[in-house]
């Protein structure tokens, strides 16, 4: 009985999602996202599962949305851009993510790398992210409740590091934990407006590329 009543509603949401997701993909393509693997991930990861039900109708807009604890789920364009920037031309074996948040970026990136290590300082968010990834059947991610400024020493070096919170300068520990030829992307700059940078390690040198302006919540210290 309850099934009969719920079914039309559920499929209704499904159809709307498919259309609005395609619109989002189109927008990302227009903005320069090219890698079909990345576009497929944005198409297939159900972003509405990562936000509060009250916001689910806006889940496929290309915008950041609140996820509680004063944090936001990243904008799909930025997630796509960062994912593309660290996975370009291959499949990094080991990747590190700082700032799991609700786990959306984690879910987009995970199948495009061998193993993903993800650190979040707010336990409530991390618990939810763990649960969402389990629901999606994503199994190659290890989570840690810690201050990401220190990186994840025991698992270093990493082929890719993705920093999902704004910093004035990339933490030294993260630079040290990047393997030879590895790539790190991070929003660098003051609150409100940062430059998305990609650093590629060549020995003791870090080749620096600018990927455009972004706006992230700050990388903080300590746990919560
Ligand atoms: N990409 C995430 C959102 C990132 S928002 C998503 O898709 O949901 C930035 C996240 O970084 C927030 O959850 C914040 O709590 C976390 N963060 C900030 N400083 C941190 C630190 N030092 N270590 C670990 N996580 C941190």
């Amino acid at each position: 009985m309850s099934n009969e009543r719920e079914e039309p509603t559920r499929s209704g949401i499904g159809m709307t999602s498919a259309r609005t997701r395609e619109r989002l993909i189109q927008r990302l393509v227009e903005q320069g996202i090219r890698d079909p693997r990345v576009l497929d991930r944005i198409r297939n990861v159900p972003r509405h599962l990562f936000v509060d039900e009250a916001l689910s109708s806006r889940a496929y807009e290309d915008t950041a949305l609140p996820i509680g604890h004063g944090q936001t789920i990243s904008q799909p364009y930025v997630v796509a851009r960062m994912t593309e920037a660290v996975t370009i031309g291959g499949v990094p074996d080991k990747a590190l993510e700082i700032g799991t948040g609700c786990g959306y970026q984690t879910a987009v990136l995970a199948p495009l790398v061998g193993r993903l290590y993800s650190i979040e300082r707010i336990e409530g968010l991390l618990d939810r992210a763990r649960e969402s990834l389990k629901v999606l059947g994503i199994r190659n991610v290890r989570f840690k409740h810690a201050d990401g400024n220190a990186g994840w020493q025991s698992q270093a070096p990493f082929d890719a590091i993705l920093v999902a919170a704004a910093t004035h300068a990339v933490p030294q520990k993260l630079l040290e934990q990047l393997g030879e030829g590895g790539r790190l992307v991070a929003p660098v700059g003051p609150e409100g407006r940062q430059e998305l940078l990609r650093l590629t390690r060549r020995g003791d040198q870090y080749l620096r590329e600018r990927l455009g302006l972004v706006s992230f919540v700050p990388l903080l210290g300590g746990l919560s």
Side-chain angles (χ1 to χ4, degrees):
M1 188 62 189
S2 66
N3 265 354
E4 277 173 21
R5 243 185 283 133
E6 276 171 33
E7 201 45 44
T9 319
R10 256 197 253 127
S11 56
I13 289 171
M15 279 166 66
T16 312
S17 297
R19 257 202 320 270
T20 47
R21 284 186 209 195
E22 262 336 295
R23 216 178 295 140
L24 173 62
I25 298 304
Q26 207 43 52
R27 195 184 144 100
L28 299 191
V29 169
E30 283 161 14
Q31 288 181 286
I33 304 298
R34 291 282 172 267
D35 190 331
R37 299 173 307 167
V38 174
L39 291 168
D40 262 1
R41 289 308 294 152
I42 301 282
R43 185 180 284 115
N44 292 325
V45 175
R47 193 167 181 255
H48 64 273
L49 291 188
F50 291 86
V51 296
D52 195 87
E53 231 179 304
L55 289 170
S56 59
S57 65
R58 301 189 56 199
Y60 299 97
E61 290 177 13
D62 189 22
T63 175
L65 294 168
I67 52 172
H69 304 268
Q71 307 302 320
T72 54
I73 182 173
S74 306
Q75 181 192 349
Y77 168 74
V78 175
V79 168
R81 191 85 177 91
M82 290 177 95
T83 304
E84 202 174 58
V86 292
T87 60
I88 189 166
V91 179
D93 180 28
K94 273 182 136 178
L96 173 67
E97 175 186 50
I98 309 299
T100 317
C102 66
Y104 175 66
Q105 165 80 73
T106 320
V108 169
L109 180 61
L112 305 181
V113 302
R115 283 161 290 171
L116 179 54
Y117 297 82
S118 188
I119 304 177
E120 170 58 52
R121 65 181 282 281
I122 299 177
E123 197 161 26
L125 287 177
L126 193 59
D127 290 345
R128 251 166 54 198
R130 269 203 182 98
E131 192 52 39
S132 297
L133 267 78
K134 200 195 279 175
V135 168
L136 296 179
I138 295 173
R139 294 203 181 80
N140 62 334
V141 182
R142 271 184 66 187
F143 294 98
K144 181 152 97 164
H145 179 222
D147 179 353
N149 282 289
W152 197 321
Q153 185 63 53
S154 62
Q155 296 297 339
F158 296 98
D159 306 299
I161 300 180
L162 192 156
V163 184
T167 170
H168 287 277
V170 178
Q172 187 59 31
K173 293 272 186 217
L174 299 185
L175 294 175
E176 288 167 9
Q177 290 175 24
L178 193 61
E180 176 61 23
R183 299 189 179 96
L184 178 152
V185 280
V188 179
E191 204 169 335
R193 194 175 140 106
Q194 306 94 35
E195 182 94 52
L196 190 60
L197 293 183
R198 174 167 59 190
L199 306 179
T200 304
R201 183 165 193 175
R202 300 267 177 254
D204 290 338
Q205 306 287 316
Y206 293 83
L207 171 78
R208 193 180 150 112
E209 293 163 273
R210 292 157 178 264
L211 305 181
L213 289 176
V214 288
S215 176
F216 273 83
V217 295
L219 185 70
L220 301 173
L223 299 186
S224 175

